[in-house]
Amino acid sequence: MSKKVVLAYSGGLDTSICIPILKEEYGCDEVITVAVDVGQPKEEVIQAEEKARKISDRHYTLDVREEFVRDYIFPLIKANGDYEGYVMGTSIARPLIAKKVVEIANKEGATALAHGCTGKGNDQLRFEAVFRLTDMDVFAPMRDMNLTREWEIEYAKQHNIPVSVTSSKPWSIDENIWSRSIEGGKLEEPGYIPPEEIYQWTVSPENAPDGQILEIGFKDGVPVSLDGKEIDSVELIEQLNRIAGSHGVGRTDMIEDRVLGLKARENYEHPAATVLLTAHRDLEKLVLTRAELKFKAMVDAEWSELAYFGLVDEPLYSDLNAFIDRTQERVAGTVTVKLYKGSVMILARTSPYALYSEELVSFDSATIDQKDSEGFAKYHGFQARLYRKFVENI
Ligand code: ARG
């Protein structure tokens, strides 16, 4: 039986040389490539397709942006997804890319799956958590072979693989509709101040124009409109990336603890994510009870760790989603924000489910009989009094 492998393909140098390597070193007869469009630049997807047509045996390009937003980004917004302050982007896209590769492998009757991740990062784990749900072989040539850049370029030339000038880029970039990650090269030194050129989605806050006010509409915990106009989910995120990016909103420079324990310096851009997560958190405070907010913060933290680890098939992940979804039924309304030179300020919020009554909180209202509070106030901190009286001086 011929050995058919399906490779997650980006069009870059690493995944391109994986094609001949899978044949020469892993004995594969046929290498099928899959490029998954999760919102990386269109030219990249087109270039990957053109390149693959020359060097792989068959190629698929799949535009999954809608599914990515609906099934991965929206649950993240509802969970206030955040890992150590990192706005998760790469981590939530990998499981979907892996799932699509598996779907093609099943359709093609392949016996193996492959990815181009190295052995240092998180992505190998995220791919394999999904790949290994099948009984197919899993190949990771980049991890097995530990290659140098020079060797790769030489090998590519020998195998007629076009090497673009961009393969000598100083940074490693991973991009999807939700975030852009820049890492590697000199950025690996935590003490190195990154040059402005690493940023593409955001202007430098000091060069941003005067502020802009925006109203975001939410329903069931997810954004549905901008300035009162309902828009499609993919379009909403793309528009918001442009608008908030033009105000310098959504840059992160952080030290991140990778799953394996390595600490890494990471730079990110995520304008829409910053605005939507800030607005969503604010709206939750208006509609959820104190007990719900306190408990949900723990659920959100668990959710975020599973999502960062790429463990979306762990049963706990869907258990947590069930709880979160239930709370989000009331997260509806509008949040008005001001984008100003790199910051997002909340200006106002409204909701039909608000647990807030102006009448109750107001100083002039008579709805709460203040005398009723006397007994409550008397016994507030009661145990501290017991301690002081009977225990402190023993
Ligand atoms: N550190 C991030 C993560 O684990 C981003 C990795 C993205 N890779 C890249 N080549 N920039 O999700």
Side-chain angles (χ1 to χ4, degrees):
M1 201 177 77
S2 90
K3 212 164 149 188
K4 243 191 213 186
V5 60
V6 180
L7 167 71
Y9 185 66
S10 70
L13 181 62
D14 286 357
T15 53
S16 295
I17 62 164
C18 279
I19 299 168
I21 291 177
L22 284 165
K23 293 189 175 175
E24 291 175 0
E25 306 294 325
Y26 295 79
C28 298
D29 304 301
E30 224 181 305
V31 180
I32 297 157
T33 46
V34 179
V36 182
D37 180 354
V38 282
Q40 63 273 48
K42 268 277 164 285
E43 319 82 69
E44 232 171 72
V45 181
I46 295 166
Q47 273 166 20
E49 166 140 358
E50 283 168 357
K51 209 160 163 185
R53 296 245 175 263
K54 292 189 199 127
I55 59 177
S56 85
D57 294 300
R58 193 156 34 266
H59 179 77
Y60 291 83
T61 298
L62 308 172
D63 179 352
V64 303
R65 288 173 305 156
E66 233 180 273
E67 186 177 349
F68 181 43
V69 172
R70 185 189 64 227
D71 295 343
Y72 296 79
I73 294 178
F74 278 3
L76 179 144
I77 296 174
K78 296 188 215 180
N80 300 310
D82 172 314
Y83 173 81
E84 299 185 334
Y86 154 51
V87 173
M88 289 179 277
T90 304
S91 47
I92 55 163
R94 295 304 190 219
L96 175 58
I97 296 170
K99 183 174 145 198
K100 293 294 150 186
V101 170
V102 169
E103 279 173 20
I104 297 294
N106 284 328
K107 180 175 150 192
E108 286 278 352
T111 54
L113 305 161
H115 63 72
C117 309
T118 67
K120 284 190 187 168
N122 295 323
D123 289 333
Q124 52 176 338
L125 308 172
R126 298 167 180 150
F127 270 107
E128 290 186 35
V130 175
F131 279 0
R132 291 185 193 276
L133 292 168
T134 74
D135 292 326
M136 289 182 242
D137 288 329
V138 175
F139 301 138
M142 291 297 116
R143 186 174 59 199
D144 292 345
M145 298 180 68
N146 219 342
L147 306 169
T148 64
R149 208 77 187 156
E150 298 75 62
W151 189 95
E152 290 188 12
I153 292 173
E154 193 45 42
Y155 183 84
K157 284 185 185 145
Q158 280 166 16
H159 289 79
N160 292 321
I161 294 172
V163 180
S164 56
V165 267
T166 50
S167 59
S168 60
K169 262 195 202 146
W171 335 110
S172 160
I173 292 171
D174 182 68
E175 204 168 324
N176 60 53
I177 189 173
W178 193 236
S179 91
R180 181 167 176 274
S181 141
I182 317 103
E183 62 179 28
K186 264 191 93 56
L187 291 174
E188 279 172 1
E189 286 169 39
Y192 171 70
I193 299 177
E196 194 51 34
E197 72 187 56
I198 67 164
Y199 297 112
Q200 300 259 306
W201 289 11
T202 53
V203 303
S204 173
E206 59 262 34
N207 296 331
D210 276 346
Q212 177 174 348
I213 293 173
L214 258 187
E215 186 199 89
I216 302 152
F218 283 87
K219 192 170 176 286
D220 294 324
V222 298
V224 290
S225 68
L226 280 186
D227 283 338
K229 258 194 264 109
E230 273 193 31
I231 47 174
D232 156 77
S233 52
V234 171
E235 180 60 26
L236 185 145
I237 293 172
E238 286 175 347
Q239 261 195 42
L240 207 47
N241 271 331
R242 279 193 297 274
I243 299 170
S246 77
H247 288 281
V249 167
R251 288 185 176 186
T252 301
D253 184 322
M254 66 179 288
I255 302 294
E256 182 174 310
D257 291 292
R258 290 193 182 154
V259 183
L260 297 174
L262 275 176
K263 279 194 186 287
R265 193 275 186 87
E266 306 277 351
N267 291 78
Y268 301 105
E269 292 182 282
H270 38 75
T274 297
V275 176
L276 292 172
L277 290 169
T278 307
H280 176 265
R281 263 179 209 280
D282 184 79
L283 192 55
E284 277 194 336
K285 290 199 178 154
L286 185 64
V287 300
L288 300 183
T289 65
R290 175 164 59 188
E292 283 179 311
L293 288 167
K294 188 173 163 199
F295 187 75
K296 186 169 180 291
M298 294 188 288
V299 171
D300 290 349
E302 278 305 313
W303 187 99
S304 295
E305 192 170 280
L306 287 176
Y308 183 76
F309 286 22
L311 296 177
V312 299
D313 293 291
E314 155 65 51
L316 178 62
Y317 183 76
S318 52
D319 300 340
L320 299 178
N321 277 327
F323 166 79
I324 293 170
D325 280 344
R326 172 70 198 226
T327 64
Q328 299 301 296
E329 288 169 9
R330 284 178 283 141
V331 183
T334 64
V335 180
T336 308
V337 297
K338 181 169 180 181
L339 310 175
Y340 182 73
K341 296 195 185 286
S343 71
V344 184
M345 285 172 277
I346 302 281
L347 297 184
R349 71 291 277 159
T350 66
S351 172
Y353 304 105
L355 289 177
Y356 179 88
S357 152
E358 208 177 320
E359 198 181 300
L360 284 182
V361 109
S362 156
F363 285 109
D364 339 301
S365 105
T367 358
I368 285 186
D369 185 346
Q370 297 191 37
K371 274 190 88 56
D372 290 345
S373 292
E374 190 186 325
F376 182 43
K378 224 177 191 167
Y379 292 97
H380 190 57
F382 187 54
Q383 294 194 332
R385 265 147 58 201
L386 292 175
Y387 173 79
R388 175 144 308 175
K389 203 159 177 181
F390 301 115
V391 182
E392 199 173 38
N393 297 317
I394 288 179

